[in-house]
Amino acid sequence: MTTIFTKIINREIPADIVYENDYIIAFKDINPQAPIHILVVTKKEIPTVNDLGPEDRILVGEAYLALSKIAKDLGVSEDGYRIITNCNSYGGQEVFHLHFHLLAGKPLGAMLSSN
Ligand code: AMP
């Protein structure tokens, strides 16, 4: 099943792309939850963290290297930021294509909402 993120990867729908390499694409979240909210999406369609296998070791490492680079490029690495991956229902996952939220640009407060 093709995800909305694969359509962005394939340029079938638009997105504000900030970085791309052989492993990942990074673009601005359409509904930002912080002044900076970037999604780093694996080009390989992996539905959830549960579906990762040993063959994905390099891919996950590359995703984190990209997150680190993007944070530096956007000038938020010293102030700090948060990286989130939601998984399935309790995690609040909406798009079943592995991705990492990079949130930054203000103090982000407690890690969990109060509800
Ligand atoms: P998650 O709940 O972790 O699956 O996060 C999915 C995220 O994708 C949400 O933060 C949405 O705002 C974001 N999103 C959905 N569609 C698009 C899109 N077309 N362009 C950019 N971000 C999107």
Side-chain angles (χ1 to χ4, degrees):
M1 189 185 72
T2 300
T3 72
I4 192 164
F5 291 166
T6 293
K7 289 183 176 156
I8 290 173
I9 291 164
N10 293 336
R11 297 337 194 243
E12 289 164 18
I13 62 170
D16 199 340
I17 296 167
V18 298
Y19 180 68
E20 183 174 18
N21 64 26
D22 288 346
Y23 299 94
I24 63 91
I25 189 166
F27 51 88
K28 294 183 182 174
D29 196 293
I30 205 167
N31 182 23
Q33 303 299 305
I36 290 173
H37 187 168
I38 305 292
L39 298 177
V40 170
V41 178
T42 59
K43 288 194 170 173
K44 180 179 176 186
E45 275 190 9
I46 300 171
T48 80
V49 172
N50 293 334
D51 302 298
L52 283 167
E55 68 277 13
D56 299 314
R57 275 196 188 100
I58 290 172
L59 177 62
V60 173
E62 289 287 343
Y64 264 86
L65 287 171
L67 287 154
S68 173
K69 173 186 167 41
I70 293 163
K72 286 178 187 136
D73 288 350
L74 294 177
V76 299
S77 57
E78 291 305 314
D79 281 343
Y81 51 90
R82 184 170 292 158
I83 295 168
I84 295 173
T85 297
N86 298 317
C87 182
N88 279 343
S89 167
Y90 279 20
Q93 185 174 4
E94 292 173 1
V95 179
F96 287 81
H97 184 150
L98 185 65
H99 58 281
F100 304 81
H101 298 255
L102 171 60
L103 299 154
K106 69 173 186 180
L108 295 167
M111 191 160 63
L112 297 177
S113 63
S114 54
N115 53 349

